[in-house]
Amino acid sequence: MGEIAFGPTGQGLRQMPENSLQKMRIVSIRSDGIARRKTVFIPLFQSQRLSDLPLIAQFLAQTRRLLLAFAQNQFKGEDGETKSLWLSSSGSSPERIVLFGLGEKTKWHERKEPLVARRMVRHAKAEKIDEFAIALIGSARLFSQNALMAEFEYTKYKERPKSGWPEVKTVFLGVEPRLIAETKKEIEQGVTMGQEVNACRELANTPGSDMTPAKLAAAAIAVGKRTGVKVKILDEPQIKKLGMGGVIGVARGSDEKPKFIILEYMKGLRGQKPLVLAGKGVTFDTGGINLKPEPYMSDMHMDMSGGAAVIHGMAAIARLRQPINVVGLIPAVENMPSGSSYRPGDLLKSLSGKTIEVLNTDAEGRVILADALTYALRYNPALIADFATLTGAAHVALGNYCSALFTNRERLMDPLGKIGRESGDYVWPLPLWDEYLAEIKGTFGDIANIAKQDRYGGAIHGAKFLEQFVNDTPWAHIDIAPRMTAVDSDYLAKGATGVGVRYIVELAKAYPQLNLA
Ligand code: BES
Ligand code: MN
Ligand code: ZN
């Protein structure tokens, strides 16, 4: 790949989130030390009693009467219920116990576990509790990761209040003494994950004027310096020379020049075919000449969420020292209307040689990803996975709680779904049948970027379009539009969710074992 040059260095790095990796401490302590902490958090199922919890019993002795009376009279343990009780103001600990209702035990499911840590941290922040102790239930790695995610707040553009931002400085995780060393390691991994998810959210939340293709490239370079991931940036002349007519076409309307970001982490066996990740990097999507109407445009600085997930997913893979080969490809552009914009009806020659008939300039993500997917084939990948805020239609189809999963290997559906469940970045399958391909056949070009006649099934049309550029390489497309922004039940700050980072890490761990035939 002789045409590759190193891109911008230095500029813009100082504003990047590299110096704001979260400071929250999570400390494993002996479970009998919980009672010596100021504030103790206790999760409880409906009808579960405090005396049923062996780890809590140790401090119950001092405070039993108060607690039981209170718990029985005022706390039902309903899902989402929280009850705070003060035990003492004299400095003897614990001063305060907070009960968190988990609802009926029979209605518990796996998606609720990560939310417990988040609820606790959000509660602590709201109540200005800067440290708390809990007896660990479940995995310390998941707890830590989710605690950090809940601690994150996007405050870069706000004036700092005199008293500072409420923050949870320390969480004490009580475990059996023999598990302390092991728990420490799990916490470290969870903290690493949480930090990278939050760094991804920081990038995605950054307004379009401050997160241009050049700034996204600079962020990738900064991540490369911090983690050892190799980063190369192709600039506009190089992108043009390569023949990426899709990237060039979409970028044409903007004053911001496109960048093509390449990340390489090759710590697997020599000759092991890599996992190639592609991420949509539209730093602002106005829709172009097919301008978006008012309510749909203001969130579109987050249209590079897939690209940010690839950058920080790879950062996490490197920091966790996974022995694998992973490549990340991010076409970064801004989609603007202007006198130089690409037009409806334009025919763009993609890197693959296929021409793309542009019927709608707002279906730009697939146009730039087409070139990235073709470029991916150069690496002879074992598997390609792309992450893109591709369609509002995916959001309409699935609602708020999972991304849309497509693959050209049906046997991968189950393992890819499982990766979603285990990572917390949930995915749900949609079909990729050839009936849908017929609807995006080009009239004057090889393939159209939207369905002209029948627009039902827009998420599938997007996926079917992308499939044309992977030849027959095993491939998964994750349309993360439904998870681009947080909803109340996420117990996360408003804005970007960091969707994709956790999925990418679990996918990287799992892919050597997948049956990709
Ligand atoms: N970036 C949008 C999709 C999107 C919308 C993501 C809302 C997250 C939230 C994408 O580029 C787009 O505009 N898609 C169009 C496709 C249509 C023109 C076929 C859409 O979904 O309306
Ligand atoms: Mn668009
Ligand atoms: Zn878009």
Side-chain angles (χ1 to χ4, degrees):
M1 275 168 251
E3 63 274 69
I4 287 170
F6 287 83
T9 49
Q11 109 256 15
L13 296 189
R14 217 143 295 132
Q15 306 99 284
M16 290 304 133
E18 295 310 300
N19 47 16
S20 62
L21 291 177
Q22 217 133 352
K23 311 156 289 289
M24 181 181 184
R25 282 197 320 146
I26 301 179
V27 185
S28 54
I29 60 169
R30 295 163 52 107
S31 44
D32 56 8
I34 291 174
R36 286 193 294 277
R37 300 294 159 187
K38 245 183 359 197
T39 307
V40 176
F41 282 6
I42 303 173
L44 272 182
F45 284 109
Q46 218 161 296
S47 80
Q48 191 179 16
R49 278 179 309 182
L50 284 167
S51 50
D52 298 339
L53 301 172
L55 288 174
I56 307 304
Q58 283 135 11
F59 65 79
L60 262 187
Q62 329 160 9
T63 54
R64 172 181 286 132
R65 270 180 313 149
L66 253 171
L67 263 173
L68 288 185
F70 191 92
Q72 277 162 15
N73 295 338
Q74 298 184 41
F75 184 75
K76 296 200 179 60
E78 279 167 10
D79 198 3
E81 188 184 356
T82 311
K83 209 91 216 176
S84 206
L85 52 144
W86 286 94
L87 302 179
S88 123
S89 50
S90 61
S92 67
S93 53
E95 287 177 10
R96 166 152 60 174
I97 289 181
V98 186
L99 306 177
F100 291 83
L102 303 180
E104 284 174 48
K105 198 164 188 175
T106 52
K107 292 197 177 145
W108 188 252
H109 56 73
E110 58 179 351
R111 293 183 307 285
K112 287 186 175 181
E113 185 187 329
L115 298 181
V116 178
R118 294 191 200 167
R119 266 178 67 194
M120 289 178 172
V121 170
R122 297 305 286 178
H123 178 83
K125 281 165 73 89
E127 299 296 317
K128 299 199 163 51
I129 296 170
D130 65 358
E131 61 165 72
F132 63 86
I134 68 154
L136 178 65
I137 39 159
S139 133
R141 190 172 64 86
L142 277 186
F143 181 91
S144 308
Q145 173 187 299
N146 284 285
L148 259 79
M149 286 169 69
E151 167 59 18
F152 174 86
E153 219 74 54
Y154 188 64
T155 55
K156 207 159 84 183
Y157 291 78
K158 278 187 170 174
E159 193 179 359
R160 189 173 175 277
K162 280 209 181 66
S163 54
W165 298 105
E167 61 177 327
V168 179
K169 294 202 177 85
T170 314
V171 178
F172 298 98
L173 284 187
V175 295
E176 285 177 55
R178 66 184 173 87
L179 294 178
I180 287 200
E182 190 191 315
T183 304
K184 252 189 195 143
K185 273 188 220 138
E186 280 193 39
I187 291 173
E188 235 168 74
Q189 290 176 5
V191 166
T192 297
M193 287 299 301
Q195 287 179 332
E196 295 302 337
V197 170
N198 291 345
C200 172
R201 294 161 78 191
E202 184 100 15
L203 284 188
N205 280 335
T206 303
S209 58
D210 286 343
M211 185 47 61
T212 59
K215 292 275 179 73
L216 189 62
I221 288 169
V223 164
K225 285 190 179 147
R226 169 167 65 82
T227 62
V229 171
K230 209 169 128 199
V231 181
K232 304 165 185 173
I233 311 295
L234 306 188
D235 58 17
E236 187 191 40
Q238 293 167 311
I239 295 168
K240 206 177 257 172
K241 192 166 160 226
L242 271 172
M244 293 185 167
V247 177
I248 293 293
V250 175
R252 236 167 45 206
S254 171
D255 291 345
E256 300 293 337
K257 300 292 181 215
K259 303 285 175 194
F260 193 87
I261 303 167
I262 301 169
L263 305 102
E264 292 177 358
Y265 172 80
M266 298 294 193
K267 294 290 161 73
L269 293 175
R270 239 167 198 278
Q272 184 198 41
K273 289 181 168 190
L275 166 67
V276 179
L277 306 166
K280 173 175 173 181
V282 175
T283 59
F284 195 79
D285 181 13
T286 63
I289 297 299
N290 294 104
L291 198 65
K292 283 183 185 296
E294 190 270 319
Y296 296 105
M297 204 191 291
S298 55
D299 275 349
M300 284 298 126
H301 59 290
M302 287 185 273
D303 210 15
M304 34 56 74
S305 297
V310 168
I311 292 171
H312 287 286
M314 289 191 61
I317 289 167
R319 289 176 67 190
L320 297 171
R321 299 179 195 286
Q322 294 299 307
I324 46 187
N325 297 329
V326 188
V327 175
L329 304 173
I330 303 156
V333 301
E334 185 177 55
N335 188 19
M336 278 282 176
S338 79
S340 52
S341 292
Y342 78 140
R343 307 159 184 79
D346 277 0
L347 292 156
L348 304 176
K349 180 131 182 160
S350 70
L351 180 63
S352 71
K354 290 187 177 79
T355 52
I356 297 168
E357 184 170 344
V358 179
L359 294 180
N360 188 316
T361 60
D362 198 11
E364 82 297 338
R366 65 199 72 179
V367 177
I368 61 170
L369 281 169
D371 286 341
L373 294 174
T374 302
Y375 195 86
L377 300 178
R378 297 184 173 204
Y379 290 91
N380 188 24
L383 173 68
I384 302 173
D386 75 72
F387 296 81
T389 47
L390 206 71
T391 67
H395 200 170
V396 171
L398 293 174
N400 292 324
Y401 310 108
C402 58
S403 298
L405 169 66
F406 301 85
T407 172
N408 58 355
R409 293 292 191 283
E410 256 184 63
R411 71 161 65 144
L412 288 182
M413 273 303 180
D414 281 346
L416 291 173
K418 185 163 167 251
I419 288 166
R421 292 199 303 279
E422 287 173 353
S423 67
D425 282 334
Y426 309 114
V427 297
W428 200 258
L430 290 176
L432 198 66
W433 300 337
D434 284 336
E435 288 87 325
Y436 298 93
L437 180 59
E439 297 178 331
I440 53 170
K441 220 170 78 65
T443 309
F444 304 109
D446 297 317
I447 185 162
N449 77 333
I450 62 163
K452 201 167 195 172
Q453 305 289 335
D454 194 336
R455 296 193 181 186
Y456 294 122
I460 308 172
H461 293 139
K464 208 61 199 166
F465 178 97
L466 294 178
E467 188 194 21
Q468 307 315 302
F469 297 89
V470 298
N471 294 344
D472 198 35
T473 308
W475 160 78
H477 160 57
I478 323 278
D479 190 335
I480 55 173
R483 295 290 306 146
M484 185 174 79
T485 51
V487 291
D488 287 349
S489 60
D490 288 327
Y491 294 98
L492 295 173
K494 283 202 168 64
T497 62
V499 58
V501 173
R502 293 177 294 161
Y503 193 95
I504 284 170
V505 172
E506 293 310 315
L507 177 63
K509 288 183 191 165
Y511 98 89
Q513 278 76 251
L514 293 177
N515 180 354
L516 295 164

